[in-house]
Amino acid sequence: MSFDPTSHLLLTPEDAEAPNRVVRLRELGLGEAPVPEFDDFARHLARVTGAPYAMVNFIDEEQQYFAGLYAPGSDQAVELDPSSNAGGSVGRVMARDHGYCPHVIVRRKALVLEDVCDYPRFAGNPVVDEIGIRSYLGAPLIDRTGMALGTVCVVDQEPRPWGRQGLETIKSMAADLVEQIHRREHQGP
């Protein structure tokens, strides 16, 4: 949990479910390694929404892990957090207090930010200054046990009018991925 000392806003929400989520993610074999099918899913999500960046994100107590990741001009995952790029390798880890997915997890509802700068609570997030993120659209991945495992999301470095269509699309795509996770669970990772 992090606070902005200048505004006294809680920037990253408290996540009491995180320890149980970690157990569930380990049962599913998720959150510690890239999943090629999730990279494919992120690529498809980017195409469907027209967004340059798309992620399948699992969140534990300390960090976020992009098991699926897509960026513009690439058919493979790319680095979104330049500060963690060691030796040119692809990074899939981001601090828990960066970005908006932790809010989606705790709220258990989709989040639409057409321009993050319109929302003081979200405009101060480190991804705005460090990566230049200006818009976000994300939905939770809630599995058959009722656990919010992570999110699917898209971001852009320009404001985007996601609208109701964007909201319905991200929610539908999240439901599709949850079904894919359930199939993986029955087949084994």
Side-chain angles (χ1 to χ4, degrees):
M1 159 172 48
S2 64
F3 293 92
D4 177 351
T6 60
S7 69
H8 305 293
L9 286 177
L10 178 64
L11 296 180
T12 305
E14 190 171 336
D15 184 0
E17 216 174 53
N20 293 333
R21 178 179 315 108
V22 170
V23 170
R24 180 72 178 132
L25 287 171
R26 297 311 168 258
E27 288 173 1
L28 294 168
L30 297 174
E32 295 181 310
V35 177
E37 296 86 8
F38 293 174
D39 283 341
D40 293 342
F41 183 90
R43 181 180 306 108
H44 179 66
L45 180 60
R47 283 189 194 127
V48 167
T49 61
Y53 300 94
M55 282 83 51
V56 174
N57 186 8
F58 298 108
I59 302 171
D60 67 22
E61 295 136 313
E62 304 297 323
Q63 65 186 18
Q64 302 176 66
Y65 186 80
F66 303 121
L69 180 59
Y70 183 77
S74 174
D75 278 335
Q76 59 190 8
V78 298
E79 178 61 55
L80 269 185
D81 181 6
S83 66
S84 69
N85 191 4
S89 64
V90 173
R92 291 180 178 260
V93 176
M94 188 163 70
R96 192 177 173 285
D97 65 350
H98 283 52
Y100 310 104
C101 291
H103 296 273
V104 172
I105 285 286
V106 171
R107 291 166 31 116
R108 301 174 63 84
K109 290 179 14 180
L111 178 62
V112 179
L113 300 172
E114 294 182 344
D115 186 342
V116 298
C117 294
D118 289 343
Y119 304 88
R121 167 179 218 144
F122 298 118
N125 194 284
V127 298
V128 175
D129 293 331
E130 294 175 18
I131 305 172
I133 300 302
R134 286 292 302 274
S135 61
Y136 172 91
L137 177 64
L141 298 169
I142 300 175
D143 80 345
R144 63 175 178 75
T145 70
M147 177 69 60
L149 301 173
T151 65
V152 294
C153 68
V154 293
V155 296
D156 199 338
Q157 293 175 312
E158 301 293 329
R160 294 283 301 257
W162 303 111
R164 178 154 298 283
Q165 180 62 43
L167 177 63
E168 295 306 319
T169 297
I170 200 76
K171 288 166 56 176
S172 173
M173 296 289 289
D176 290 348
L177 187 60
V178 167
E179 289 305 314
Q180 186 175 342
I181 290 169
H182 290 157
R183 284 192 301 275
R184 279 176 51 92
E185 180 178 23
H186 289 73
Q187 298 168 353

